[in-house]
Amino acid sequence: CDGLTDENVNACGKCDDSCYTKDYDKPGDCRYPDRTCDSVEPDPNNPNAITLSEKTLPKTPFIYISVTGRNQVAKLDTSTGQKLWQKPSFGTSPSRTAVAFDYSVWVGNRGFSNPSSPEASNLVHLDLDGNFVCRVDAVGTSSAGVRGVAIDAEGYVWAGVWDTGKLYKVHPTKVDNTQNPPRCEVVGIYDTGVEIYGLAIDGSGYLWTASPTRKAKVDTKTGQVVQYYNDSTYYGVAVDKNDKVWYGGYGGGGVIHMLD
């Protein structure tokens, strides 16, 4: 109940309220008068079980926008366009955002004002209300810091630094609160050898870097580069619903689909 994933809720999914549980002989049967079946439905593959229904999907999807010139992040309701809040990014020149499974946001600050300072260049985790959770001191050198953020299938957060080519793999929930400010737990730092302008992860667990120079394909299980691509024309990257990787053109380059 702190805006993040709750690990210590009771059996009813609540933090403070009392509750009770009751066993039923037929889990998929919602005919019992004292049973509430909202948000669940019989599992079509198992008549003795229930599964979550579409009613459990978020009714108000969100988008987080970096407000670069103000060193802030804004949260918008995508169904209405209403701005819900606008809060500090706890760094400078924020650009990339990635939304976690609990709908909180990770923000990459490029740190143009002072790329070598963790106060300017970093990765920051904000909760659903825009409150600071933790920071990763991912710094650049003389040009820019964090310019790529992505989240893999296991919830680990990846941040890429522009002028060092380093990838930071960050635990989704572990925080070291003994430091000031609290630090997110970094579980790995990997050297890609490329300038990182953007990141995207495909369904096979490969992370693709974007850059106006050489690009890299990285195995998120090991953090190792498995392939390089030498191309200076494309540097925007995204993965579509069919798991195809696409790069957008730089300087009139159009759009290309990566085959492997």
Side-chain angles (χ1 to χ4, degrees):
C1 294
D2 56 1
L4 300 173
T5 302
D6 292 305
E7 296 83 5
N8 298 314
V9 296
N10 60 31
C12 295
K14 299 179 180 179
C15 294
D16 301 313
D17 298 342
S18 61
C19 76
Y20 70 94
T21 60
K22 182 175 181 178
D23 294 328
Y24 290 98
D25 295 332
K26 297 179 180 179
D29 192 340
C30 292
R31 293 174 295 176
Y32 292 91
D34 59 342
R35 184 176 188 188
T36 300
C37 288
D38 290 345
S39 302
V40 297
E41 59 189 22
D43 187 341
N45 300 314
N46 184 354
N48 294 318
I50 57 175
T51 185
L52 296 177
S53 71
E54 291 185 354
K55 294 180 181 178
T56 61
L57 296 176
K59 293 179 169 43
T60 309
F62 308 119
I63 188 171
Y64 295 89
I65 307 296
S66 292
V67 189
T68 299
R70 295 179 179 270
N71 299 327
Q72 295 177 336
V73 178
K75 180 179 182 179
L76 276 66
D77 180 332
T78 58
S79 60
T80 65
Q82 178 187 4
K83 183 170 69 175
L84 304 176
W85 50 252
Q86 187 168 323
K87 301 289 184 68
S89 69
F90 297 93
T92 65
S93 310
S95 176
R96 311 296 189 235
T97 61
V99 181
F101 296 143
D102 62 359
Y103 302 105
S104 62
V105 64
W106 293 77
V107 184
N109 286 293
R110 294 172 292 180
F112 286 158
S113 61
N114 190 0
S116 61
S117 168
E119 300 294 328
S121 172
N122 54 48
L123 174 72
V124 169
H125 189 193
L126 304 179
D127 68 15
L128 290 169
D129 298 317
N131 299 310
F132 179 91
V133 178
C134 59
R135 185 182 84 191
V136 175
D137 296 347
V139 299
T141 54
S142 60
S143 178
V146 177
R147 298 193 79 163
V149 183
I151 299 176
D152 66 25
E154 296 180 354
Y156 286 93
V157 184
W158 293 78
V161 177
W162 165 257
D163 54 12
T164 67
K166 289 183 178 180
L167 280 173
Y168 292 75
K169 183 178 182 180
V170 183
H171 195 280
T173 59
K174 292 184 178 180
V175 178
D176 180 0
N177 288 301
T178 65
Q179 300 190 60
N180 184 24
R183 300 302 200 274
C184 319
E185 181 176 306
V186 176
V187 298
I189 302 176
Y190 308 98
D191 223 336
T192 65
V194 301
E195 296 173 321
I196 297 173
Y197 191 82
L199 298 175
I201 300 176
D202 66 24
S204 299
Y206 290 109
L207 180 149
W208 299 73
T209 74
S211 173
T213 55
R214 190 167 65 156
K215 302 166 180 58
K217 177 182 177 182
V218 179
D219 186 340
T220 57
K221 299 298 183 183
T222 65
Q224 302 305 305
V225 175
V226 297
Q227 192 166 349
Y228 286 106
Y229 302 88
N230 294 308
D231 192 307
S232 61
T233 310
Y234 303 91
Y235 76 166
V237 63
V239 178
D240 69 18
K241 66 178 182 180
N242 297 316
D243 208 30
K244 293 181 179 180
V245 180
W246 296 85
Y247 278 96
Y250 169 67
V255 177
I256 61 170
H257 164 222
M258 305 298 289
L259 297 177
D260 57 12

